[in-house]
Amino acid sequence: MLKIRAAITGVHGYVPEYILTNEELSRMVDTTDEWIMERIGIKERHILREKNLGSSYMGALAVEGLLKKTNTKAEDVDLLICATVTPDMQFPATANLISDKVGIRNAFSFDLNAGCSGFLYALNTAAKYIESGSHKKVIVVGSDKMSSIVDYTDRAVCPIFGDGAGAILLEPTTEDCGVMDSILRSDGVGAVHLHQKAGGSVNPASHETVDAREHFVYQEGQTVFKWAVSKMADISLEIMTKHQLTSETLQWLVPHQANMRIIDATSRRMGITNEKVMINIEKYGNTTAATLPLCLWEWESKLKKGDNLILVAFGAGFTWGATYIKWAYNSN
Ligand code: UT7
C-alpha cells in the first residue's frame, strides 16, 4: 500500500499594520538601534495596537487568506490546530474562535502551547491525522500577540518580540513529498529560565501579581541563548545526517527567528550559506509560534516542488525540534 504523507499545499500570513521601530523603542527604554541590531538583529516589529483584538483576530485573517488562495471551502476543513502562547483568553481555545470567525464548522479544533516550538509541534500533530487517513484537510496556524505579555519598561525583553500569524494547509499525498520526518524534544528544566510567572493556576491574577509585573515574559537571556544555540544546531544536524542531506542537497533552512546570532550559529554548524536560510527577523522580530509560517509565506514564490527544507525551533519549556519537509508544489 502506498504511504500517505502530509503535504503543505498552501501558506498565508498576516502581520498588523503598526510598525514599532528601534528608534521608537529607544525613546521608551535605555537602548539603541546599534545595540539591538548587533546583539539581536531586529530593526522593527509589527504590533497589534487596536483594543479588543488578540491572537484569534490575526490567526483568522491568516486562515481566511489561506482558504481563499487555496480555493478551499471552510466546510471542507476537518481539523484546525492553533499554536499560541498568547490565547485570546484562558478558555475557550483560540482555535475554536478562529474556526468560528472563518466559518469552519464541520471540524474539531484545539490550541497547542509549546512556546516558540509551537508551530513545529502543531505541524507534526496535524501530519499524524493526515497520515492515519482519518483527516483530509487540516489547517495549522501559529498566532501570537506577544505585545500583550511584553513589559515595555524591560529593555532586555521588549526589543525581541513582535505580533503576527501564519497558517498552512495540509493535505494527503502519496507522492514522495510532504512532511518526511521530525525529531521533537522537551525538557521542563527550562521552565525557571523562561516563563510567565502569574495568571495560571499556581499564581492566579491578583493586585499583587499585577503590581509585581508578573504577567510579563520572564527571560534569563544568556541561559536561553546558550540552550537555543546548542539544541537548534544539534537537532538540525541530527535530522540532516539521518536523511543523508548535505549542504548541496538541502535547499532551505527555516529557523525560528529569535536572534540573528542563534540563526548564524545553527547554519554554520550545518555548513549552510546564508542564501539558503530564510531570515526575516529584521522586520518582524520574534513572533513566537508565527515565525516559521511567516518565513514559508514570504519565501513561497521561490520554493519548488521537491525542494528539501529543514524547519527548526527552540522555545519555552524548554521545547525544541526539527522537521524535514520535501516541498510539494511550485507556486505560480
Ligand atoms: O524564542 C524564545 C527563546 N528566546 C531566545 O532565544 C532569546 C535568547 N537570548 C537572547 O537572544 C539574548 O540573550 C538577549 C538578546 C536576550 C540578550 O543579549 P545578550 O547579548 O545575551 O545580553 P546580556 O543579557 O548578556 O546583557 C549584556 C549587557 C548588559 O549590560 P551590562 O550588565 O553588561 O552592563 C545588559 O544590561 O547589555 C545590556 N542590555 C542592553 N543594552 C542596551 C540588555 N538589553 C539591552 C538593550 N539595550 N535592549
Side-chain angles (χ1 to χ4, degrees):
M1 215 171 83
L2 284 173
K3 185 173 168 51
I4 301 171
R5 291 189 201 279
I8 297 178
T9 53
V11 52
H12 200 66
Y14 171 80
V15 288
E17 241 170 69
Y18 187 78
I19 294 174
L20 174 60
T21 61
N22 287 349
E23 198 268 324
E24 186 177 352
L25 267 181
S26 67
R27 284 184 266 124
M28 296 157 65
V29 289
D30 182 14
T31 191
T32 58
D33 175 56
E34 294 70 39
W35 193 93
I36 300 172
M37 280 306 288
E38 191 187 310
R39 307 304 297 166
I40 321 178
I42 300 172
K43 198 87 192 156
E44 55 194 37
R45 60 295 284 148
H46 291 245
I47 302 293
L48 185 61
R49 286 209 304 186
E50 293 76 7
K51 279 213 176 344
N52 301 316
L53 295 180
S55 295
S56 79
Y57 170 78
M58 297 187 293
L61 285 171
V63 173
E64 221 164 57
L66 178 69
L67 293 175
K68 201 166 165 202
K69 75 191 269 194
T70 56
N71 285 317
T72 304
K73 292 196 194 97
E75 60 262 33
D76 291 341
V77 174
D78 35 29
L79 165 62
L80 181 145
I81 306 176
C82 176
T84 185
V85 299
T86 51
D88 279 20
M89 39 192 143
Q90 285 273 18
F91 65 88
T94 297
N96 306 155
L97 303 174
I98 293 173
S99 299
D100 180 52
K101 284 187 162 94
V102 303
I104 293 176
R105 311 221 178 273
N106 300 322
F108 76 111
S109 63
F110 61 91
D111 285 358
L112 187 156
N113 178 343
C116 293
S117 310
F119 182 79
L120 273 194
Y121 274 45
L123 166 67
N124 284 285
T125 306
K128 300 298 170 200
Y129 281 92
I130 301 266
E131 288 163 15
S132 74
S134 65
H135 292 69
K136 300 273 184 291
K137 287 187 191 291
V138 180
I139 288 178
V140 176
V141 49
S143 184
D144 270 305
K145 182 184 169 185
M146 293 307 293
S147 61
S148 65
I149 55 167
V150 162
D151 182 351
Y152 286 96
T153 66
D154 179 356
R155 71 172 182 171
V157 172
C158 71
I160 300 173
F161 294 102
D163 301 339
I168 56 162
L169 177 65
L170 287 171
E171 294 181 273
T173 181
T174 48
E175 289 185 46
D176 184 34
C177 61
V179 177
M180 307 300 282
D181 192 21
S182 265
I183 308 172
L184 301 175
R185 295 284 180 267
S186 62
D187 188 341
V189 75
V192 290
H193 307 296
L194 180 55
H195 58 261
Q196 187 179 355
K197 281 191 198 311
S201 56
V202 167
N203 240 339
S206 67
H207 289 294
E208 288 73 27
T209 62
V210 171
D211 289 345
R213 310 184 83 73
E214 289 178 352
H215 294 269
F216 293 123
V217 173
Y218 171 84
Q219 174 169 266
E220 292 162 15
Q222 282 190 13
T223 307
V224 178
F225 183 89
K226 282 182 200 145
W227 271 77
V229 165
S230 110
K231 295 302 180 190
M232 278 187 40
D234 284 354
I235 208 155
S236 307
L237 216 53
E238 191 181 337
I239 204 156
M240 222 175 144
T241 312
K242 189 174 167 196
H243 293 275
Q244 287 119 35
L245 290 164
T246 65
S247 54
E248 281 80 41
T249 58
L250 182 72
Q251 275 75 34
W252 296 102
L253 172 66
V254 193
H256 173 52
Q257 313 280 307
N259 186 315
M260 198 50 222
R261 290 182 291 141
I262 300 175
I263 296 173
D264 279 344
T266 305
S267 54
R268 256 200 316 275
R269 268 287 289 289
M270 296 168 77
I272 305 288
T273 49
N274 259 0
E275 314 86 69
K276 289 188 164 194
V277 188
M278 296 187 192
I279 302 167
N280 59 16
I281 186 171
E282 189 164 326
K283 51 184 188 177
Y284 299 138
N286 182 351
T287 54
T288 302
T291 61
L292 298 180
L294 281 176
C295 280
L296 294 176
W297 179 44
E298 201 169 334
W299 267 264
E300 186 189 20
S301 61
K302 294 202 178 81
L303 296 173
K304 293 188 196 65
K305 188 170 180 178
D307 276 358
N308 290 314
L309 281 70
I310 288 178
L311 280 60
V312 60
F314 180 89
F318 293 135
T319 54
W320 65 100
T323 295
Y324 165 36
I325 288 175
K326 220 184 244 278
W327 198 248
Y329 63 97
N330 296 311
S331 66
N332 36 39

